[in-house]
Amino acid sequence: QVQLVESGGGLVQAGGSLRLSCACAASGRSFCNYAMGWFRQAPGKEREFVAAISWSGGNTDYADSVKGRFTISRDHAKNTVYLQMNTLKPEDTAVYYCAARDQYYTGTSYYTSDYSYWGQGTQVTVSS
């Protein structure tokens, strides 16, 4: 079983920055070497892809809407994945979810259905 816990959300003015963290714990394993992703869901909208990072950390993917503003990274020693969000816009307001793929899949994915484990989410609100 894999547990994911997000933190770092909050209220920020447009143009500001936030860094989200996703702490991973896997039963029976010391390391959470899973391919990971960040998704978000705004009120009344479907959950959408934001960013993903491969098992090794060597490959990353981003939604077009966040390219150049958001950066996904991971620290294997801390079993944590980060999402650095800069130049935030009101349209970035959403609940942000961290997700992990099954251990057999090492690459990135845009699809929610490719992720087996999900955190509870953290709220990000960007005021104009």
Side-chain angles (χ1 to χ4, degrees), residues 29 33-36 53-56 74 100-109 113-117:
R29 300 180 62 176
N33 291 340
Y34 300 95
M36 306 283 288
I53 189 165
S54 62
W55 168 82
S56 67
R74 67 189 307 158
R101 301 193 70 185
D102 187 272
Q103 61 180 326
Y104 300 109
Y105 300 100
T106 60
T108 60
S109 174
S113 58
D114 284 344
Y115 290 82
S116 300
Y117 309 100

Side-chain angles (χ1 to χ4, degrees), residues 56-122:
S56 67
N59 292 309
T60 58
D61 279 313
Y62 297 91
D64 288 342
S65 59
V66 307
K67 275 181 184 176
R69 300 189 298 123
F70 290 11
T71 302
I72 188 171
S73 62
R74 67 189 307 158
D75 185 332
H76 285 291
K78 295 182 178 180
N79 287 334
T80 301
V81 173
Y82 303 97
L83 184 68
Q84 177 66 44
M85 305 186 296
N86 298 327
T87 319
L88 282 160
K89 304 175 181 180
E91 51 263 43
D92 293 320
T93 295
V95 176
Y96 283 70
Y97 296 91
C98 173
R101 301 193 70 185
D102 187 272
Q103 61 180 326
Y104 300 109
Y105 300 100
T106 60
T108 60
S109 174
Y110 301 97
Y111 305 107
T112 58
S113 58
D114 284 344
Y115 290 82
S116 300
Y117 309 100
W118 293 84
Q120 293 299 307
T122 184

